[in-house]
Amino acid sequence: MKKKNVKRGIAPYLILILCVLLIYYFLAVGGSKVNDITYDKLLGEIREGNVTEVVVTQHSSEGVYVITGKLKGYKEKETFRTTTPLTDSIISQMISVDESLNYKLDTDVDPDSSPLLFILVNVLPIVLVVGIGYWFLSKQMGAAGKSMDFGKSKAKLNTEKNKTTFKDVAGLKEEKEEVKELIDFLKNPKRFQKLGARIPKGVLLVGPPGTGKTLLAKAVAGEANVPFYYISGSDFVELFVGVGASRVRDMFKEAKHNAPCLIFIDEIDAVGRQRGTGLGGGHDEREQTLNQLLTEMDGFGANEGIIIIAATNRADVLDPALLRPGRFDRQVIVNLPDVKGREEILEVHARNKILAPSVSLKNLAKRTPGFSGADLENLMNEAALLAVRGNKEQITMKEIDEATDRVIMGPAKKSKKYTEEERRMVAFHEAGHAVIGIKLSNASEVQKVTIIPRGHAGGYNMMVPREEKYTSTKTELLEEITGLLGGRVSEELTFGEISTGAHNDFEKATKIARAMVTEYGMSDLGPVQLEQQEGGVFLGRDYGKTRNFSNEVAHEIDLEMRKIVDECYKNAKKILSENSDLVSLIAENLLEYETLTKEQIDYLVKNGKMPDEDDKEDKEESYDELKARAKELGIKGYTKMTKDELSKVIKDNDEIKSIEEDDEE
């Protein structure tokens, strides 16, 4: 059977070459007719006047003259040809014929005397024909080769010279501890085998985007110094059923030849989703690929020395068979970094950047809760770009503040013009948020307020939790809702009118209130979970899903949500009514300065005005006093700092010390 297929494969190429040769033949000599005659007959034809033209060509290598020409009555491509021995009398004899006979006599150059002409006439056509045939053949073979590689694995071997190690991974202390066993096993497997320990065959890294899952996998391969294959889950799935399964087999086959090694599958949810969740059949390409992956990881065959690391941010949609022991034995949760982790990440991304002495990465880490590692890298890069635009030699806190706002809300739209009425409403709206944050101890703390438009927002209020916590109390959630409603309440109290500027605040407040009622059991309905957090939506699985509460309970949920929001709204109105002067003070200064920092707001609350130059001079220490304090605090390089830079560093140091003392208490 195979021999027949080979013959069928070669036959088209042979036919193609034959066609090319036939075309060349007909183009070169096709349609022409050559009549062989004797030399004596030629002379007779000349005497009778039947010859119209004669060409004599000398062939030295053969020792003959080749005489060609045309006779009267010949067609367009019809000629005669004769040969005679190579003697000079031949030419003279043809010339001495009666000159009254009118025919054309030419002599041609000896082709043997010109190697170039010989090559052009005899060799070049053959080379061209063979070359064209080879080109067509190789083209077809290349296409055939590609079709044969259709089922080959697309996993790429990482050959980077500068390998990633754990030094390049910051803020993932516990996660690195979890995967260190893999490195020890890859370096010294006998140590584990001696005690009968089985290393996990697969490790699943689960976490939000940008938290460093791929970076952690590369660091494991770099530390272990073993081959590292990486592939995306979408690279397995193709239109034709069976191709993905073939690629899985080929990937494991190649990995076995390089064992021990690591295989990293990014976004495994593209191929590892639960089976049987669609309305159609269960034999589509993705499910066949998943079946093959399950078999290769823990089937009848053994994959000794191959460890699979996969990453996803949708572990809830993965097939249970993929997560059972023997396949992905271990799940490592890669969460967003805490304040210490953010500081370490910032230090990594600040290695190749020139920061001003006043920049405190520790303070910056405290001001960026909820930022992932990718967000922090983007923040530092944006700050560097802003410094370059400003022709600065160092990155200062001004660029870092602007970069933080850019990452959260987008670039400032300074060209966007508001009417004076809109501008005042935005200022009082943001001032309402700020006052609630100041007066409620559990509400988010205001770090910065601005009325410069960013993104879709007319103003921007940076509010961060006073402390990073894993859980929230009912009081904290209620005060957070109160803080979100502060902007709308301020508009109503000041102008007797409301605007659309609070729609995003309502969205957040409603989401928190509904979660309190349906998920956290923080309402009069009691400690009952009526809803679950949104997961993957599979039409086949959820199509016939019933609600786990009745219409009456749904009505009660709506009433409880409204009750929570109404109480918070009344509380916000009471606070802002009692502090209307403070709201006006912050709003008026926002209209004048457009942006207020936490320090400026604190000064306004304490002194009722913005700090002026006289106040600064009265309270500021002298340059010598600052140097003496810096020496006591052990601040490095203080002698090279300016007075403002040194004052900023000491102030940041005092804030850090104060926070650390509060944490200890």
Side-chain angles (χ1 to χ4, degrees), residues 169-172 175 205-216 312-313 333-337 345 371-375:
V169 182
L172 300 175
E175 290 81 354
L205 305 178
V206 183
T211 50
K213 301 183 291 294
T214 304
L215 184 65
L216 184 61
T312 182
N313 50 16
I333 308 299
V334 185
N335 282 320
L336 293 171
I345 293 170
F371 275 49
S372 66
D375 291 331

Short mmCIF file of all heavy atoms in Angstrom, two decimals, residues 169-172 175 205-216 312-313 333-337 345 371-375:
data_model
loop_
_atom_site.label_atom_id
_atom_site.label_comp_id
_atom_site.label_asym_id
_atom_site.label_seq_id
_atom_site.Cartn_x
_atom_site.Cartn_y
_atom_site.Cartn_z
N VAL A 169 12.36 36.84 40.65
CA VAL A 169 10.96 36.70 41.06
C VAL A 169 10.82 37.28 42.46
O VAL A 169 11.37 36.73 43.42
CB VAL A 169 10.51 35.22 41.04
CG1 VAL A 169 9.03 35.12 41.42
CG2 VAL A 169 10.75 34.61 39.68
N ALA A 170 10.12 38.37 42.58
CA ALA A 170 9.96 39.04 43.87
C ALA A 170 8.52 38.93 44.34
O ALA A 170 7.58 38.87 43.54
CB ALA A 170 10.37 40.52 43.75
N GLY A 171 8.35 38.93 45.66
CA GLY A 171 7.01 38.98 46.23
C GLY A 171 6.27 37.67 46.26
O GLY A 171 5.09 37.64 46.57
N LEU A 172 6.90 36.56 45.93
CA LEU A 172 6.23 35.25 45.92
C LEU A 172 6.99 34.28 46.83
O LEU A 172 7.42 33.22 46.40
CB LEU A 172 6.14 34.70 44.49
CG LEU A 172 5.36 35.55 43.48
CD1 LEU A 172 5.46 34.93 42.09
CD2 LEU A 172 3.90 35.68 43.88
N GLU A 175 5.07 30.91 47.44
CA GLU A 175 4.95 30.19 46.17
C GLU A 175 6.28 29.57 45.75
O GLU A 175 6.33 28.45 45.24
CB GLU A 175 4.44 31.14 45.08
CG GLU A 175 2.99 31.57 45.24
CD GLU A 175 2.82 32.71 46.24
OE1 GLU A 175 3.84 33.07 46.88
OE2 GLU A 175 1.71 33.24 46.38
N LEU A 205 -0.54 26.52 38.56
CA LEU A 205 -0.41 27.87 39.11
C LEU A 205 -1.70 28.63 38.82
O LEU A 205 -2.07 28.82 37.66
CB LEU A 205 0.78 28.59 38.49
CG LEU A 205 2.14 27.88 38.59
CD1 LEU A 205 3.22 28.69 37.89
CD2 LEU A 205 2.52 27.64 40.05
N VAL A 206 -2.38 29.03 39.87
CA VAL A 206 -3.68 29.69 39.73
C VAL A 206 -3.58 31.09 40.32
O VAL A 206 -3.07 31.27 41.43
CB VAL A 206 -4.78 28.90 40.45
CG1 VAL A 206 -6.14 29.56 40.24
CG2 VAL A 206 -4.80 27.46 39.98
N GLY A 207 -4.07 32.07 39.60
CA GLY A 207 -4.05 33.43 40.12
C GLY A 207 -4.49 34.43 39.09
O GLY A 207 -4.61 34.12 37.90
N PRO A 208 -4.73 35.66 39.50
CA PRO A 208 -5.16 36.71 38.56
C PRO A 208 -4.08 36.99 37.52
O PRO A 208 -2.90 36.65 37.71
CB PRO A 208 -5.38 37.93 39.48
CG PRO A 208 -5.47 37.38 40.87
CD PRO A 208 -4.64 36.14 40.89
N PRO A 209 -4.44 37.63 36.42
CA PRO A 209 -3.44 37.96 35.40
C PRO A 209 -2.39 38.92 35.94
O PRO A 209 -2.69 39.82 36.74
CB PRO A 209 -4.28 38.64 34.29
CG PRO A 209 -5.68 38.19 34.53
CD PRO A 209 -5.81 37.98 35.99
N GLY A 210 -1.15 38.71 35.50
CA GLY A 210 -0.07 39.63 35.86
C GLY A 210 0.58 39.39 37.19
O GLY A 210 1.38 40.21 37.65
N THR A 211 0.27 38.27 37.85
CA THR A 211 0.84 38.02 39.18
C THR A 211 2.16 37.26 39.13
O THR A 211 2.77 37.04 40.18
CB THR A 211 -0.16 37.25 40.06
OG1 THR A 211 -0.64 36.10 39.33
CG2 THR A 211 -1.34 38.12 40.43
N GLY A 212 2.61 36.83 37.94
CA GLY A 212 3.93 36.22 37.83
C GLY A 212 3.93 34.72 37.69
O GLY A 212 4.92 34.07 38.04
N LYS A 213 2.86 34.14 37.17
CA LYS A 213 2.79 32.67 37.04
C LYS A 213 3.81 32.17 36.01
O LYS A 213 4.56 31.22 36.27
CB LYS A 213 1.37 32.25 36.65
CG LYS A 213 0.31 32.66 37.65
CD LYS A 213 -1.07 32.16 37.27
CE LYS A 213 -1.62 32.86 36.04
NZ LYS A 213 -1.89 34.30 36.27
N THR A 214 3.85 32.80 34.85
CA THR A 214 4.80 32.39 33.81
C THR A 214 6.23 32.63 34.27
O THR A 214 7.13 31.82 34.03
CB THR A 214 4.52 33.16 32.51
OG1 THR A 214 3.16 32.95 32.12
CG2 THR A 214 5.44 32.71 31.40
N LEU A 215 6.46 33.76 34.93
CA LEU A 215 7.80 34.07 35.43
C LEU A 215 8.27 33.04 36.44
O LEU A 215 9.43 32.63 36.45
CB LEU A 215 7.80 35.47 36.05
CG LEU A 215 9.14 36.01 36.54
CD1 LEU A 215 10.10 36.21 35.37
CD2 LEU A 215 8.95 37.32 37.29
N LEU A 216 7.36 32.60 37.30
CA LEU A 216 7.71 31.59 38.30
C LEU A 216 8.09 30.27 37.64
O LEU A 216 9.04 29.60 38.06
CB LEU A 216 6.54 31.41 39.27
CG LEU A 216 6.75 30.45 40.44
CD1 LEU A 216 7.88 30.95 41.33
CD2 LEU A 216 5.47 30.31 41.26
N THR A 312 -3.24 29.23 34.88
CA THR A 312 -4.58 29.66 34.47
C THR A 312 -5.12 30.64 35.50
O THR A 312 -4.69 30.63 36.66
CB THR A 312 -5.54 28.46 34.35
OG1 THR A 312 -6.80 28.93 33.89
CG2 THR A 312 -5.71 27.75 35.67
N ASN A 313 -6.04 31.48 35.07
CA ASN A 313 -6.78 32.30 36.03
C ASN A 313 -8.24 31.88 36.09
O ASN A 313 -9.07 32.60 36.61
CB ASN A 313 -6.66 33.79 35.68
CG ASN A 313 -6.99 34.07 34.22
OD1 ASN A 313 -7.58 33.24 33.54
ND2 ASN A 313 -6.62 35.24 33.75
N ILE A 333 -1.52 28.76 44.62
CA ILE A 333 -2.28 29.99 44.42
C ILE A 333 -1.31 31.17 44.39
O ILE A 333 -0.61 31.43 45.37
CB ILE A 333 -3.32 30.18 45.54
CG1 ILE A 333 -4.18 28.92 45.69
CG2 ILE A 333 -4.18 31.40 45.24
CD1 ILE A 333 -4.95 28.55 44.45
N VAL A 334 -1.28 31.86 43.27
CA VAL A 334 -0.41 33.03 43.11
C VAL A 334 -1.30 34.27 43.21
O VAL A 334 -1.92 34.69 42.23
CB VAL A 334 0.34 33.00 41.76
CG1 VAL A 334 1.33 34.14 41.67
CG2 VAL A 334 1.05 31.67 41.58
N ASN A 335 -1.39 34.82 44.41
CA ASN A 335 -2.28 35.95 44.65
C ASN A 335 -1.60 37.27 44.33
O ASN A 335 -0.39 37.34 44.07
CB ASN A 335 -2.73 35.96 46.12
CG ASN A 335 -3.83 34.94 46.38
OD1 ASN A 335 -4.73 34.77 45.56
ND2 ASN A 335 -3.77 34.27 47.52
N LEU A 336 -2.39 38.33 44.39
CA LEU A 336 -1.83 39.68 44.26
C LEU A 336 -0.88 39.92 45.43
O LEU A 336 -1.15 39.49 46.56
CB LEU A 336 -2.95 40.72 44.27
CG LEU A 336 -3.89 40.70 43.05
CD1 LEU A 336 -5.08 41.61 43.29
CD2 LEU A 336 -3.16 41.10 41.79
N PRO A 337 0.21 40.60 45.21
CA PRO A 337 1.21 40.78 46.28
C PRO A 337 0.70 41.70 47.39
O PRO A 337 -0.09 42.62 47.15
CB PRO A 337 2.39 41.41 45.54
CG PRO A 337 1.80 42.08 44.35
CD PRO A 337 0.62 41.25 43.94
N ILE A 345 8.90 43.80 44.55
CA ILE A 345 8.71 43.87 43.09
C ILE A 345 9.18 45.21 42.55
O ILE A 345 9.84 45.29 41.50
CB ILE A 345 7.23 43.62 42.74
CG1 ILE A 345 6.84 42.17 43.09
CG2 ILE A 345 6.97 43.88 41.27
CD1 ILE A 345 5.36 41.90 43.01
N PHE A 371 -2.46 46.25 43.18
CA PHE A 371 -1.63 46.23 41.98
C PHE A 371 -0.97 44.87 41.83
O PHE A 371 -0.46 44.30 42.81
CB PHE A 371 -0.54 47.31 42.06
CG PHE A 371 -0.99 48.67 41.60
CD1 PHE A 371 -2.16 49.22 42.07
CD2 PHE A 371 -0.24 49.40 40.71
CE1 PHE A 371 -2.58 50.48 41.66
CE2 PHE A 371 -0.65 50.65 40.28
CZ PHE A 371 -1.82 51.19 40.76
N SER A 372 -0.96 44.34 40.63
CA SER A 372 -0.24 43.10 40.35
C SER A 372 1.21 43.43 40.00
O SER A 372 1.58 44.61 39.84
CB SER A 372 -0.89 42.35 39.19
OG SER A 372 -0.77 43.10 37.99
N GLY A 373 2.02 42.39 39.85
CA GLY A 373 3.42 42.62 39.46
C GLY A 373 3.52 43.31 38.11
O GLY A 373 4.37 44.18 37.91
N ALA A 374 2.64 42.93 37.17
CA ALA A 374 2.66 43.57 35.85
C ALA A 374 2.26 45.04 35.95
O ALA A 374 2.81 45.89 35.24
CB ALA A 374 1.71 42.82 34.91
N ASP A 375 1.31 45.35 36.83
CA ASP A 375 0.91 46.75 37.03
C ASP A 375 2.06 47.58 37.57
O ASP A 375 2.28 48.72 37.14
CB ASP A 375 -0.28 46.83 37.99
CG ASP A 375 -1.55 46.26 37.39
OD1 ASP A 375 -1.70 46.31 36.15
OD2 ASP A 375 -2.39 45.75 38.15
#
